């Protein structure tokens, strides 16, 4: 698969790649209208259009490749897997300000944290557990 790694100056390479087919098409239009060579002008313009389609295809391929290898895509993919796979094992550990474990649970659950509360819902039983945490508590959720 073709891709160009996004960098601050990669736009220059893309501009050059898009400029080549445009120049070819303009040469074909010039040959058709001003050069008096209609057949040659048509041929050059068709070559330019094909080159433009190839460059657009390469750009789409690069965009797709860079998107599916981005951290935001991987994060959203993992989020959907966790949301729709009820067999995903997790572990939650809540520690107080001294590092002592207040609460620990391992299983298949979903959780929601709002302010000073953590709500756990077990995916198997449907039972909800609400935990109040203080200002200095640490919540660690690990997907297994």
């Amino acid at each position: 698969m073709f891709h160009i790694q996004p960098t601050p100056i990669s736009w220059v390479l893309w501009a050059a790649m898009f400029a080549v087919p445009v120049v070819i098409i303009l040469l074909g239009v010039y040959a058709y209208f001003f050069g008096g060579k209609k057949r040659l002008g048509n041929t050059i313009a068709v070559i330019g259009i094909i080159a433009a389609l190839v460059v657009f295809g390469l750009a789409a391929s690069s965009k797709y490749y860079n998107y599916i290898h981005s951290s935001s895509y991987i994060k959203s993919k993992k989020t959907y897997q966790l949301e729709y796979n009820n067999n995903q094992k997790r572990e939650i550990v809540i520690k107080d300000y001294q590092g002592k474990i207040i609460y620990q649970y391992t299983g298949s659950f979903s959780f929601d944290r709002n302010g000073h509360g953590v709500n756990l819902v077990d995916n198997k039983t449907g039972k909800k557990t609400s935990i109040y945490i203080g200002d200095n508590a640490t919540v660690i959720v690990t997907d297994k």
Side-chain angles (χ1 to χ4, degrees), residues 90 92-95 110-121 128-141:
R90 288 178 162 172
I92 186 167
V93 177
I94 300 176
K95 297 181 179 182
S110 61
F111 72 97
D112 182 31
R113 180 161 187 234
N114 288 326
H116 290 290
V118 176
N119 298 319
L120 303 175
V121 178
K128 179 181 176 185
T129 304
S130 296
I131 305 164
Y132 176 80
I133 57 173
D135 289 331
N136 295 325
T138 303
V139 178
I140 303 168
V141 179

Side-chain angles (χ1 to χ4, degrees), residues 21-29 31-32 38-54:
V22 170
V23 169
I24 293 172
I25 291 171
L26 290 176
L27 286 174
V29 169
Y32 184 84
K38 293 187 184 262
R39 185 174 173 99
L40 179 64
N42 282 340
T43 305
I44 294 174
V46 167
I47 291 171
I49 291 171
I50 291 171
L53 291 174
V54 167

Side-chain angles (χ1 to χ4, degrees), residues 90-101:
R90 288 178 162 172
E91 178 184 25
I92 186 167
V93 177
I94 300 176
K95 297 181 179 182
D96 67 1
Y97 70 98
Q98 294 175 335
K100 291 187 228 171
I101 295 176

Side-chain angles (χ1 to χ4, degrees), residues 40-134:
L40 179 64
N42 282 340
T43 305
I44 294 174
V46 167
I47 291 171
I49 291 171
I50 291 171
L53 291 174
V54 167
V55 170
F56 278 108
L58 292 175
S61 171
S62 182
K63 177 75 172 171
Y64 175 75
Y65 179 85
N66 288 326
Y67 174 69
I68 64 169
H69 289 89
S70 68
S71 61
S72 62
Y73 173 79
I74 294 168
K75 180 182 173 187
S76 63
K77 182 179 172 184
K78 182 66 174 174
T79 300
Y80 283 123
Q81 285 175 348
L82 290 172
E83 185 174 342
Y84 295 111
N85 182 5
N86 289 336
N87 296 324
Q88 178 70 37
K89 295 291 181 191
R90 288 178 162 172
E91 178 184 25
I92 186 167
V93 177
I94 300 176
K95 297 181 179 182
D96 67 1
Y97 70 98
Q98 294 175 335
K100 291 187 228 171
I101 295 176
I102 300 171
Y103 182 80
Q104 184 171 6
Y105 179 71
T106 302
S108 177
F109 62 89
S110 61
F111 72 97
D112 182 31
R113 180 161 187 234
N114 288 326
H116 290 290
V118 176
N119 298 319
L120 303 175
V121 178
D122 191 293
N123 291 338
K124 304 278 188 226
T125 63
K127 292 183 180 179
K128 179 181 176 185
T129 304
S130 296
I131 305 164
Y132 176 80
I133 57 173

